[in-house]
Amino acid sequence: MDDNDRSDGRPDPDALLAQVQQEEIKQQRGRLKIFFGAAPGVGKTYAMLRFGQQEMAKGADVLIGIVETHQRHETKALADALPMLPRQHLPYKNVVLEEFDLDAALSRRPGLLLLDELAHSNAPGSRHKKRWQDLEELLDAGISVATTINVQHLESAHEVVQQITGIKVQETVPDHLIQEADEVVLVDISDEDLMQRLKEGKVYLGDRGLRAMSHFFRKGNLIALRQLALRLAADRVDLELRQFQLQNPEEERRGGSRDRLLVAISGRPEDEHLVRATYHLATAQRADWLVIHVDTPRGLMQKAETQAWIWNHLHLAESLGAETARLTGVNIGAEILAYARLRDVTQIVLGQAQGLRKFLWWWPGSLTAHLLNSERSMDIIIHPIPAKKPISEDQRLRNQQYLGVMNSPLRRHIRNRHFIFGALLGLGLSGLAWMLAAYLGFAGIFMLYMLGAVGAALLYGRWPSLITFITAAVSYYSFGLGKGLPTTLGSLAYFALILSLILLISQLVARSREQELMARIRERRARNLYQLVQVLSSARGVEGILNASIEKLEQTLGISVAFWLPATEKSEGPLKQFPEPDQTDSQQRKLQAAARWCFQNRKNAGMSTNTLADLPALFMPMIINERSLGVVMLADLDLRRAPTDWLRFLETVVRLIAVALDSAQASLQRTEADVRLRVEQLQNALLGAVSHDLRTPLAGVLGTATTLQRNAQGLSSEDRLLLENIRQQTEKMEHTVERILHMAALQSGRLQIQKEWTPLEDLLVSTREQVKSLCTEHPFQTRIARNLPLLHVDPQLIVQVLTNLVENACRYSPPGRDIELEAYADEKEIVVCVIDHGFGVPSGREQEIFGRFSQVKPPVGLGGSGLGLAICKAIIELHNGRIWVRNRVAVHGAVFCFAIPREAEPLIPSEEE
C-alpha cells in the first residue's frame, strides 16, 4: 500500500507490524553505545571508561573486554579501577599475540562490556577477522557493549579520508553499526587542543608523535576530519529524528512517494567509488537504494578477477545497507530498465569513465546512450568515476580469493585453445581458397570465409570468430589472392561490404550462441531445483530427506554435503553430524565448532565468509520461521563453475531442504502426538474402569477396619497398630483412586468449570482446613499483596490445586519448617506461589514432574502418587493459566507458582440500585 492510500490519517498496518517486530528484536539484543571521534587522541577511550565507572556506581556489572591505554596515565588509572577480562593468547609466526577473548566474554555475560578500537583486525586463528564481528555476536547474545571508533574507519568515509590525508586506511567498519547503535556520543575537542595534546605526548610518545604531526595530524587534516565527524554525527541525529517521525506520524505528515535509487556496477575496481557515492546520495535524500549487476553470456567468460570485483562491490554495498541483486540477460540496458520499473526506482545512477571513453557516451552501443534515449519515468544521474589507479598486490590477492573464485589454469587453457583454433581455421580457409580459387571465384571465396567465421562463432564464440575473420583476411592477401581484385571505387566498396557482412553475420551467430548459453544455464539451474524438489517430496522421514539431499547435490552440483542437526530437541545441546564421520580429530572439532556457531548465530561461516574463513567448507544455516533447524556443510566447492549468483543459488537449495525437513519433523511430531493422545485415552479408560471397580472393595475394607478399631478393646497393642496401618493405607489408596478418576475426568473434557468471583483469602481458608491433618508440624506464613483483585475461577478446583501444592510442600519439607504462601498481581495475571524449605526439584526435571505418575522420592519419608501436580497442571490449563516450579537460590526448597489471567472485576451495584 503506498502513501496515497493512507491520506486519511490511518496508520499503515504493515508499518506497525514492522515496528513491533523491530522492537521485539531490539529487546532481545544488547544495547550498543558508540563513542565517536574525528581522530585518535580526542578522548574516546577516556570517555568510555568514565561511562563504565558511572554505570558500575549505579550497580551495573561492568567488565573491560579490551582497552588500549597507549601508556596514557589518566586513561590507565580509569582502566585499573574496573574489572578486566583476561586476554586470549594466540601463537602466530613464533610470537604470541594478545586478543580479546570472545568466548570468555560470552561465558561471563556482563551487564556492560567495554570494547575499545572497534575497527581492529583480529589475529589469525581468531573466530572472526574483525573486532566489529565480535561486537555483533555479543549484541546477538544480549550483552550490552560500549565501544570507540574514529571517523576514518567508517566504510562510507574511507575514500574521503584518503583524499583528505593522502593515507589509505586499511581497517574499516560497516556504517550500519552507527545507524543501528542505541546511542552515539561525539567526543570532540578543537584542533588546537588536539595539537597541544600531541605535543605534550598524550596521544603518541616519542618519534611516533613527531611523525604524526608531520603527516596525519596536520592542522588542515584535523579541521577537515572534524568537519566530517560533525557532519556524520548530524546525519545520525537526523536519522533519529526520522525514526521518531515514523513512529509518531502526527508529528509530520509526509506526502508523495519515497525516492529509491538504483546503481548498476560492473567488474571494474573503480566502481567501488560509484557504490560509495550512491550511498552518500541516498543518505542525503533519505532514500532506499539498490545495487545491481547484469550478467551477460560474455560476462560469464570474464576473468576470475573481474568476477571477484563484482562480488566485492556487492558485498561493500550490503555492508553500507543497500539491497543487492545479480540479474541475467543479453541487453544490459533493457534489464536495468525492467528491474527499475519493477522496483519503482526514481533515479538510476551510472558511472562515467575517464579518458577517451567519456567522449563516447553518445555512441549507440553504450549503456549511457541506451538509457538516455529510452522511454523511462526515472531520472538518470551520471557520476564521474576517478581515473584507474594501480591496485596493491594485497588487494588484488584478496579479490582473487573472494568467494573462492580463482582464474584456473584449465579455464585459461580452454580459452587459449579456442583462440588458436580460430587462427588455424582462418589460415586453413585461406589455404583452401588458394587451392580452389579457379573453381570458386571471388564470390565463392567470400562465401567460404563467411562459412568459416559463422562456424567459429557457433562453436567457440565471439572472440574466436573475430580472430578467424582477421586471420583469414590477412592471409588472403598474403597468399596473393587479392591481386586479381578490381581496383575501382565501387569494387572496393563492394569488397568492404562483403567483409562487413561476414563480420556482422558471424557476430549475430555468436550472440545467438550466447543467448543459447544463457538459456541453458537458466534451464540447468531450474532443472536442478526441480529435481531436488521432486526428490525431497518423495523422501520419507528426516533421514530419508538428508540422504536424498546428499545424493542429489553430489550428483547434480558435484559437491560434498553433510548436515549438522541438534542431537536433542533442545537447541542448546550438541550438534550431531549426518552422516557420521569416520574419525574424530582436531579438524573435525573445528568443523563442529563452526557448525555450532552457524547454528546459534544463523549466519554463514567457513570459506567465502569473514568467520572461520580458513576452514575447507561452507556452513549455511537452515532457517524456517526464525527457527534454526540445523546446518548444511558444503565441501569440495568449486565456485568457478558458476560464479553468477552462486551463493544465492546455494541459499535457495538450503531453503528447500529446510522446508522439507520442517515438514518431515512436523509430520513426525503430529504422528507422535496422535500416538500419545491415543495412549492417554486408553490409559484414562483403563484407569477409570479399574478405579470404579476398586471403589466398592476399598469402601468395604475401610468400613471393616473402622469397625474393628471401634471394637478393639480386647486386642493387643500390636494388633491395634496393625488395624491403624490398614485403615491409613486404605484411605491413601482411596484418595489415589479419587485422583485417578478426577484426572481421567479432566483429560476427557467431561469436567466443566463453574467460575465465580472469589477472594484468595477464602480459598486459603478452605485449603488449610483440608491439609490440617497432614501439615500439623508446619506453621504457615501468608504474604498477599494489598488490593489483590478477585479471582474469576472455579473455587473447588482452585482449592484442590492449593491443597495439592501445600500437601506436596508439607510432605517434602522437614518437620518444623514454614510453608509460605505468596500472592501478587500485575496488569495481565494473578500469581500465587507455595514456597517450601525442602530439598528442591532435581535439575532438568522442572517440566517432567508435572506429568502423570512422575515422582521425586524425598530423602526422608514416602513420596506421593505422582498425580497431584498433574491434576494441578490440568486444572490451571482449564483456566487458561500456567504453572511452573523453580528452586530457591540462597536456601534449600522449591517454589511452585501458578498464574491465572486477570479479568476485569464486575461492577458492585450501589445501594440505590
Side-chain angles (χ1 to χ4, degrees), residues 35 43-56 62-69 72 74-84 112 114-116 146 148:
F35 292 87
K44 303 179 300 300
T45 304
Y46 187 87
M48 180 184 69
L49 293 173
R50 285 288 303 273
F51 169 70
Q53 289 191 344
Q54 293 170 2
E55 291 299 306
M56 189 170 65
V62 181
L63 179 68
I64 294 179
I66 191 166
V67 67
E68 299 294 344
T69 62
R72 301 167 191 162
E74 300 89 347
T75 306
K76 189 175 186 303
L78 288 176
D80 292 339
L82 293 170
M84 185 176 298
L112 174 65
L114 307 183
L115 198 65
D116 201 15
T148 62

Side-chain angles (χ1 to χ4, degrees), residues 418-419 453-468 506-507 509-511 513-514:
H418 289 172
F419 291 161
V454 169
L458 188 61
L459 294 176
Y460 305 127
R462 185 184 303 269
W463 289 107
S465 172
L466 187 61
I467 291 175
T468 298
S506 64
Q507 295 306 301
V509 171
R511 172 169 292 190
R513 178 179 179 274
E514 292 169 354

Side-chain angles (χ1 to χ4, degrees), residues 741-812:
L741 291 174
H742 200 177
M743 190 70 197
L746 286 172
Q747 293 194 340
S748 65
R750 298 193 306 268
L751 187 65
Q752 300 295 325
I753 59 175
Q754 304 294 329
K755 286 189 176 183
E756 299 177 9
W757 290 100
T758 309
L760 180 62
E761 291 83 354
D762 293 352
L763 302 178
L764 293 180
V765 171
S766 301
T767 301
R768 295 188 63 174
E769 181 67 24
Q770 294 191 21
V771 301
K772 63 181 181 180
S773 61
L774 181 63
C775 300
T776 55
E777 298 181 352
H778 298 279
F780 284 86
Q781 292 186 9
T782 304
R783 296 188 298 274
I784 301 179
R786 285 186 177 183
N787 302 321
L788 186 75
L790 298 176
L791 280 72
H792 194 210
V793 295
D794 187 321
Q796 294 183 353
L797 294 180
I798 297 301
V799 166
Q800 183 171 359
V801 171
L802 290 170
T803 301
N804 291 347
L805 293 179
V806 172
E807 285 183 353
N808 194 67
C810 293
R811 182 178 290 112
Y812 287 90

Side-chain angles (χ1 to χ4, degrees), residues 80-292:
D80 292 339
L82 293 170
M84 185 176 298
L85 187 73
R87 298 192 180 185
Q88 182 183 16
H89 295 84
L90 297 173
Y92 178 70
K93 292 184 178 180
N94 299 325
V95 297
V96 177
L97 303 177
E98 293 186 347
E99 285 291 350
F100 166 63
D101 195 338
L102 175 60
D103 290 325
L106 292 172
S107 177
R108 171 71 166 72
R109 296 190 64 83
L112 174 65
L113 185 75
L114 307 183
L115 198 65
D116 201 15
E117 296 188 359
L118 185 60
H120 173 77
S121 295
N122 293 331
S126 302
R127 180 183 305 170
H128 301 296
K129 290 184 178 180
K130 301 290 185 179
R131 184 169 291 169
W132 62 263
Q133 295 173 307
D134 296 339
L135 169 74
E136 288 189 326
E137 186 167 348
L138 291 167
L139 295 176
D140 290 338
I143 300 175
S144 298
V145 180
T147 187
T148 62
I149 187 175
N150 287 322
V151 65
Q152 71 262 25
H153 294 297
L154 284 182
E155 185 65 58
S156 63
H158 176 70
E159 281 192 347
V160 179
V161 172
Q162 184 177 359
Q163 293 173 0
I164 293 173
T165 63
I167 299 174
K168 184 177 180 62
V169 180
Q170 300 295 336
E171 298 174 327
T172 59
V173 171
D175 285 57
H176 70 80
L177 292 176
I178 293 287
Q179 298 169 0
E180 297 172 0
D182 297 278
E183 186 177 355
V184 176
V185 178
L186 177 64
V187 183
D188 182 47
I189 61 175
S190 66
D191 51 290
E192 290 86 358
D193 290 340
L194 182 57
M195 294 289 289
Q196 183 62 32
R197 285 174 54 83
L198 191 64
K199 292 177 182 178
E200 295 173 356
K202 295 182 178 180
V203 180
Y204 296 121
L205 299 178
D207 296 338
R208 188 181 178 189
L210 297 176
R211 290 196 303 270
M213 291 182 63
S214 61
H215 293 85
F216 188 87
F217 282 83
R218 290 180 295 184
K219 187 176 181 62
N221 291 351
L222 295 179
I223 294 175
L225 290 174
R226 188 182 178 204
Q227 180 189 31
L228 180 60
L230 291 171
R231 181 171 64 82
L232 292 175
D235 290 341
R236 161 71 191 193
V237 175
D238 186 56
L239 175 64
E240 293 179 355
L241 176 61
R242 296 202 307 271
Q243 292 175 344
F244 173 77
Q245 291 172 345
L246 289 175
Q247 297 173 2
N248 302 271
E250 66 277 3
E251 298 290 334
E252 178 186 2
R253 296 295 181 188
R254 295 175 56 190
S257 60
R258 183 179 179 86
D259 288 337
R260 180 174 286 130
L261 278 67
L262 182 147
V263 57
I265 55 105
S266 66
R268 297 173 298 182
E270 301 83 38
D271 281 12
E272 180 177 332
H273 172 81
L274 187 61
V275 173
R276 299 182 193 275
T278 308
Y279 164 76
H280 290 297
L281 187 62
T283 303
Q285 297 183 7
R286 308 174 185 177
D288 299 330
W289 60 303
L290 314 171
V291 179
I292 67 170

Side-chain angles (χ1 to χ4, degrees), residues 621-673:
M622 297 183 290
I623 302 174
I624 292 292
N625 297 327
E626 301 299 325
R627 182 169 58 93
S628 185
L629 302 180
V631 175
V632 179
M633 182 176 72
L634 306 172
D636 299 331
L637 283 174
D638 185 6
L639 299 177
R640 296 162 300 190
R641 285 197 305 268
T644 307
D645 214 4
W646 182 241
L647 188 61
R648 288 182 179 152
F649 175 69
L650 292 177
E651 289 176 349
T652 303
V653 170
V654 171
R655 196 174 298 115
L656 288 175
I657 298 174
V659 170
L661 273 180
D662 183 60
S663 177
Q665 291 177 353
S667 177
L668 181 61
Q669 292 172 357
R670 287 194 300 268
T671 303
E672 292 176 350

